[in-house]
Amino acid sequence: LLNRVCSELLNSRHYSRSWVAIVDTSHQIDKFFCAGIEEVEEEFQEQLKQQDLPGCIESCLRKQSAQVLIPPCEVCDDCLLNKLSHGESNLVAKLCHESHMFGVMAVSVSLNSESQADEKQLFTELADDIGFTLRRFQLKTQEQEYYRQQELIKQIIDSTGVVLFRWKNQPGWPVEFVSANVSDLLGYTADDFFSAKAVYANLVHPDDFDRVISEVRQNASDHSVDNFQHQPYRLLDNSEKPVWVSDTT
């Protein structure tokens, strides 16, 4: 995507070169994309791998402003990209969205005093749009990783004899979540608990019920207790057969 962005900047605008550097949380170069610098691209990428940042990147990262204009007289003499310059200015902008900073984008362009303000404004808006898009990609990736982790946890739980419940601290202990392997233990499906066809409190063996309730109340009233272990008790499965369980709440 960012390689295409760099190419489109050359095709749709009057930029002669464009490149994007993605940085990590410590502002170290992580990825690099470019167009129009083929003559020095390999050498320039090697320089970036060594974290030898061009002055325009360092200047942009140091400043609070979103973008930096570097006129021809201030272009670094020792910069590899300067070999390709023909008296152009460099526009450099941070790629940010809200408090998230993803990297910098730079283009080389010939500017006159009349076009400078408009070009800077347009370039800043473009950088803002790219920053917004990168943030959306980041959130999507995080969401996908979250669901992947949840599925992994589910697979681990379902492959063991451990059944995970989450219920409300209300009469009958209505179930908000239960792992699918509850059917292996009690013969009831997760949907049976969600629909209240099976009510957890009603499944506690009558001879154990008062003790279980007492343990819950005693520990719930102690705000220093994060979790506690019940004494083993019995649940009645869907055929009324008692099943001994060890319960950590």
Side-chain angles (χ1 to χ4, degrees):
L1 173 64
L2 290 176
N3 272 327
R4 190 164 75 246
V5 167
C6 290
S7 297
E8 285 299 318
L9 286 174
L10 269 61
N11 294 332
S12 61
R13 303 293 300 164
H14 47 279
Y15 303 140
S16 56
R17 291 173 298 283
S18 65
W19 51 273
V20 172
I22 300 299
V23 299
D24 59 22
T25 54
S26 59
H27 290 176
Q28 300 289 297
I29 301 294
D30 183 40
K31 296 181 178 65
F32 179 75
F33 310 89
C34 64
I37 66 169
E38 289 76 11
E39 296 175 41
V40 296
E41 179 179 350
E42 185 175 341
E43 191 177 356
F44 191 55
Q45 291 217 43
E46 185 60 34
Q47 175 183 328
L48 295 180
K49 286 180 182 178
Q50 302 301 320
Q51 302 304 321
D52 182 8
L53 304 184
C56 55
I57 291 184
E58 291 186 339
S59 177
C60 187
L61 293 177
R62 284 197 307 267
K63 293 181 180 293
Q64 294 297 316
S65 57
Q67 51 84 7
V68 175
L69 171 65
I70 303 180
C73 61
E74 295 181 14
V75 172
C76 304
D77 292 334
D78 58 348
C79 179
L80 289 169
L81 300 184
N82 195 34
K83 299 176 181 178
L84 308 177
S85 179
H86 301 286
E88 298 147 315
S89 299
N90 286 341
L91 275 172
V92 189
K94 295 177 184 177
L95 300 177
C96 304
H97 184 68
E98 297 174 340
S99 60
H100 302 272
M101 212 280 283
F102 301 99
V104 294
M105 177 175 69
V107 297
S108 296
V109 58
S110 296
L111 295 176
N112 56 49
S113 57
E114 295 179 356
S115 64
Q116 180 172 305
D118 290 342
E119 193 64 49
K120 287 174 65 177
Q121 179 63 31
L122 177 64
F123 184 68
T124 301
E125 292 173 359
L126 177 61
D128 288 343
D129 289 343
I130 295 174
F132 173 76
T133 302
L134 290 173
R135 176 58 176 158
R136 290 192 64 184
F137 277 138
Q138 184 187 59
L139 290 173
K140 185 66 175 177
T141 301
Q142 291 172 346
E143 180 183 32
Q144 291 171 343
E145 178 62 17
Y146 169 79
Y147 285 116
R148 190 190 73 81
Q149 292 289 344
Q150 292 298 306
E151 181 60 27
L152 179 60
I153 292 171
K154 177 179 178 297
Q155 291 174 6
I156 293 172
I157 291 174
D158 289 348
S159 66
T160 69
V162 176
V163 178
L164 181 64
F165 275 93
R166 183 174 67 231
W167 51 68
K168 297 179 181 179
N169 187 19
Q170 296 176 4
W173 302 334
V175 172
E176 292 185 318
F177 171 84
V178 60
S179 54
N181 61 343
V182 68
S183 60
D184 298 330
L185 179 69
L186 298 175
Y188 293 105
T189 67
D191 284 339
D192 289 337
F193 285 95
F194 298 147
S195 66
K197 177 181 178 181
V199 178
Y200 191 90
N202 294 346
L203 302 182
V204 179
H205 195 286
D207 292 343
D208 300 331
F209 184 80
D210 288 343
R211 174 173 57 84
V212 172
I213 289 291
S214 176
E215 290 172 347
V216 171
R217 289 174 176 169
Q218 178 182 348
N219 287 279
S221 63
D222 185 348
H223 298 299
S224 67
V225 174
D226 293 324
N227 60 78
F228 65 93
Q229 181 81 40
H230 281 281
Q231 292 296 316
Y233 63 90
R234 289 162 290 182
L235 293 173
L236 300 177
D237 67 13
N238 65 343
S239 63
E240 299 293 317
K241 178 182 177 181
V243 178
W244 283 96
V245 296
S246 176
D247 179 347
T248 300
T249 296

